[in-house]
């Protein structure tokens, strides 16, 4: 028999058998309308019965069935309910602003009273091209909230605005050929993609609390010559230098166990402190692999947005690359990837939009893929008058995590002992002494001599951020920290425990030393008999 199925894509006649199960029938339906999540069945004889059960779907020849697309929780109509989307604080603050660019009365062109307005002094929209081009350099990309104001400035006030990310999926279970990758046709193949330059960016500027954050990160490269990757930790704030702009303020850099992605790309050029200039418009700004990884990280941290049916649109996650500039000096460049670069390999055609010789937009095949269409450049700055979230810590600094592979000191109890008992820290305020991000991370993630500090670190962090010396002194005299200070004082002698690792080592004349005591970094295959820390060949 033949059943009629109707959805937003039209009506389709599907041939089925009385013996078919509902699951088999839905597989046939999915071959035609692969986006539908569930089936709403209203046979022609009972059109008004919206509680019709699935067991009665396959009824008789000629029945009409209706498909409906499943929406995520909180969806009202075609949009996510505004109440269910919890946007970030900076987005809520910018959404409440008027955003208009105020202009003073021009004494030569304005012939009205002091309270009047004319076209020469009326407030400008934040996306006004003449105003954006007046900056030095001109603003090429609108801020995201400026872009939203532009979309919602029409007669409908953004009633039908719906932001959606690009989707390039292959339609599954096509009945005309074997499943992908064995076969594909025009019905299940993604549509043609046309690349054009993005008009906006989610983050307009990246600022470091102080230059010492970058210097400490670069120190890992200076000492080892190996490229490093780090995750930026901080907050988003309003950026007043751009209409309705957003600024990412970096307060610390966490260095995870290295995964091979080149974040720093620095090579000495042999001219005394100069580095090679390799990244430019004539070579590349980001490689394809870096773009793919940046896009993957952005997808993991989407931006909450009430103007999207999914509740998310884009991402504020940024990518910074440290490389040499045209003067062969170290320079930090900021980027965001504008679309998900994990496109399907079966996209029928990929086009790019560019400006022709006569000033018109022309289309051409985008092969090889022009990466300049996929990245948005961000400015990076440091404040003239730094007011860091974490106070500056005097030398020596606590070791940075995960640098053992490049031959630098490891984070262990003896590193903590050396840091706390250093003569340069003897007169330092306790809150300033503890205001080292890498020290706080070490105390939070490790059990120092079996003492769990995870539940106690948040109160110390609050005291540091608020500058509350009384709370800091109370934390310092707590039982858990007093115990650690006693253990640290006992470990300050730093004896070297010598053991015999194996018969092979003893025979060859090698001597094995404890990593905890000698602060060596290469991991061994055994543990020191005295303290159970890994040991290495000395």
């Amino acid at each position: 028999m033949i059943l009629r199925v109707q959805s937003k894509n039209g009506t389709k006649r599907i041939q089925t058998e009385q013996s078919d199960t509902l699951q088999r029938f839905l597989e046939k339906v999915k071959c035609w309308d692969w986006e539908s999540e569930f089936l709403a069945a209203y046979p022609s004889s009972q059109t008004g019965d919206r509680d019709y059960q699935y067991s009665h779907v396959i009824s008789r020849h000629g029945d009409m069935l209706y498909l409906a697309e499943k929406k995520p929780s909180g969806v009202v109509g075609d949009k996510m309910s505004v109440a269910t989307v919890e946007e970030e604080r900076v987005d809520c603050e910018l959404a409440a602003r008027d955003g208009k660019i105020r202009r003073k009365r021009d004494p030569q062109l304005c012939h009205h009273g002091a309270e009047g307005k004319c076209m020469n002094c009326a407030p400008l929209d934040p996306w006004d091209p003449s105003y954006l081009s007046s900056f030095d350099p001109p603003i090429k990309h609108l801020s995201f909230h400026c872009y939203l104001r532009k979309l919602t400035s029409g007669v409908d006030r953004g009633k039908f605005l719906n932001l959606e990310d690009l989707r390039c999926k292959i339609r599954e279970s096509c009945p005309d050929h074997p499943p992908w990758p064995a076969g594909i046709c025009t019905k299940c193949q993604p549509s043609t993609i046309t690349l054009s330059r993005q008009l906006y960016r989610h983050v307009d500027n990246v600022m470091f609390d102080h230059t010492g954050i970058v210097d400490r990160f670069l120190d890992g490269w200076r000492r080892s010559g190996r490229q490093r990757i780090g995750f930026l930790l901080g907050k988003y704030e309003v950026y007043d230098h751009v209409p309705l702009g957003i600024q990412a303020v970096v307060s610390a850099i966490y260095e995870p166990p290295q995964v091979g992605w080149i974040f720093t790309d620095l090579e000495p050029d042999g001219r005394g402190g100069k580095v090679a200039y390799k990244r430019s418009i004539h070579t590349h700004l980001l490689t394809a692999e870096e773009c793919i990884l940046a896009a993957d990280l952005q997808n993991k941290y989407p931006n909450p947005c009430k103007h999207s049916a999914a509740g998310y649109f884009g991402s504020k996650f940024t990518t910074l690359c440290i490389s040499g500039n045209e003067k062969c000096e170290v320079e930090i460049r900021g980027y965001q990837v504008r679309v998900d670069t994990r496109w399907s390999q079966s996209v029928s055609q990929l086009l790019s939009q560019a400006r022709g010789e006569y000033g018109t937009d022309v289309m051409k095949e985008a092969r090889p893929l022009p990466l300049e269409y996929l990245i948005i450049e961000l400015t990076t700055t440091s404040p003239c008058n730094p007011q860091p979230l974490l106070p500056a810590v005097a030398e020596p600094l606590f070791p940075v995590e995960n640098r053992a592979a490049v031959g630098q000191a490891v984070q262990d109890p003896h590193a903590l002992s050396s840091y706390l008992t250093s003569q340069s820290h003897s007169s330092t305020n306790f809150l300033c002494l503890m205001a080292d991000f890498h020290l706080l991370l070490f105390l939070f993630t490790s059990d120092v001599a079996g003492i769990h500090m995870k539940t106690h670190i948040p109160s110390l962090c609050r005291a540091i951020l608020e500058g509350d010396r009384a709370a800091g002194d109370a934390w310092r005299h707590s039982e858990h920290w007093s115990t650690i200070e006693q253990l640290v004082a006992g470990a300050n002698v730093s004896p070297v425990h010598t053991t015999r690792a194996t018969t092979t080592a003893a025979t060859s004349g090698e001597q094995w030393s404890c990593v905890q005591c000698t602060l060596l970094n290469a991991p061994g295959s055994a543990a020191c008999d005295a303290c159970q820390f890994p040991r290495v060949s000395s």
Side-chain angles (χ1 to χ4, degrees), residues 374-388:
L374 307 183
I375 57 178
I376 303 297
E377 293 190 62
L378 313 177
T379 57
T380 56
T381 57
S382 293
C384 298
N385 299 313
Q387 295 180 347

Side-chain angles (χ1 to χ4, degrees), residues 48-111:
D49 186 3
R50 295 183 175 271
D51 296 326
Y52 203 73
Q53 299 297 318
Y54 287 153
S55 59
H56 303 109
V57 167
I58 303 178
S59 179
R60 59 181 183 272
H61 178 77
D63 275 350
M64 173 73 80
L65 307 176
Y66 296 89
L67 288 177
E69 187 175 4
K70 185 177 182 180
K71 299 180 182 298
S73 59
V75 171
V76 177
D78 293 331
K79 272 193 175 182
M80 176 74 73
S81 174
V82 175
T84 63
V85 179
E86 184 178 353
E87 294 186 320
E88 298 182 4
R89 179 192 57 81
V90 65
D91 294 310
C92 297
E93 182 177 348
L94 290 173
R97 291 192 175 188
D98 176 69
K100 294 287 186 179
I101 309 301
R102 309 298 174 184
R103 295 190 293 175
K104 296 182 180 180
R105 181 177 181 271
D106 192 323
Q108 296 181 351
L109 300 177
C110 298
H111 305 289

Side-chain angles (χ1 to χ4, degrees), residues 210-404:
H210 55 90
T211 56
I213 297 175
V214 180
D215 291 338
R216 192 171 184 183
F217 176 70
L218 287 177
D219 185 65
W221 170 79
R222 295 190 186 103
R223 293 174 178 268
S224 64
R226 298 185 183 182
Q227 310 299 345
R228 304 290 295 170
I229 175 179
F231 287 112
L232 308 175
L233 304 180
K235 58 184 178 181
Y236 296 109
E237 293 183 346
V238 175
Y239 185 53
D240 291 326
H241 295 280
V242 172
L244 300 176
I246 293 179
Q247 180 183 57
V249 182
V250 181
S251 299
I253 299 178
Y254 166 68
E255 299 184 26
Q258 299 301 286
V259 295
W261 181 43
I262 297 179
F263 184 78
T264 57
D265 188 14
L266 298 167
E267 291 183 8
D269 69 347
R271 289 189 293 168
K274 299 293 184 178
V275 293
Y277 174 46
K278 300 185 296 182
R279 295 179 181 243
S280 67
I281 59 175
H282 304 293
T283 55
H284 65 276
L285 300 178
L286 291 178
T287 65
E289 290 82 2
E290 292 165 352
C291 279
I292 293 173
L293 181 52
D296 184 62
L297 292 173
Q298 287 181 204
N299 288 336
K300 291 180 179 179
Y301 302 97
N303 177 57
C305 181
K306 63 184 179 182
H307 297 284
S308 173
Y312 295 92
F313 181 75
S315 173
K316 292 190 182 74
F317 194 93
T318 59
T319 297
L320 298 185
C321 178
I322 306 179
S323 186
N325 58 14
E326 60 274 7
K327 298 181 181 179
C328 297
E329 298 174 347
V330 175
E331 183 181 57
I332 304 176
R333 296 179 180 178
Y335 302 98
Q336 277 194 309
V337 177
R338 57 158 298 193
V339 294
D340 184 358
T341 55
R342 297 176 301 172
W343 291 335
S344 169
Q345 297 180 359
S346 60
V347 173
S348 59
Q349 193 174 16
L350 189 63
L351 303 177
S352 62
Q353 181 180 352
R355 187 72 65 177
E357 58 178 332
Y358 300 106
T360 59
D361 292 335
V362 295
M363 300 291 182
K364 62 179 182 179
E365 189 173 4
R367 297 187 185 280
L369 180 66
L371 294 183
E372 60 269 17
Y373 284 90
L374 307 183
I375 57 178
I376 303 297
E377 293 190 62
L378 313 177
T379 57
T380 56
T381 57
S382 293
C384 298
N385 299 313
Q387 295 180 347
L389 184 67
L390 297 176
V393 182
E395 298 282 351
L397 302 175
F398 190 74
V400 178
E401 61 280 348
N402 300 310
R403 285 192 179 179

Side-chain angles (χ1 to χ4, degrees), residues 424-445:
S424 60
H425 293 160
S426 58
S427 59
T428 304
N429 176 273
F430 179 71
L431 290 183
C432 293
L433 176 66
M434 302 301 294
D436 187 305
F437 166 75
H438 305 283
L439 170 63
L440 294 173
L441 181 65
F442 169 71
L443 295 175
F444 185 80
T445 56

Side-chain angles (χ1 to χ4, degrees), residues 5 13 15 18 121 167 172 190 202 205 213 223 237 243 342 349 380 385 405 434 440 461 464 468 496 510 536:
V5 178
R13 290 180 174 86
Q15 184 174 354
Q18 286 283 4
C121 61
R167 294 190 300 175
E172 302 175 351
H202 285 273
N205 178 263
I213 297 175
R223 293 174 178 268
E237 293 183 346
R342 297 176 301 172
Q349 193 174 16
T380 56
N385 299 313
M434 302 301 294
L440 294 173
C461 292
I464 294 174
D468 191 344
V496 176
E510 291 182 337
V536 295

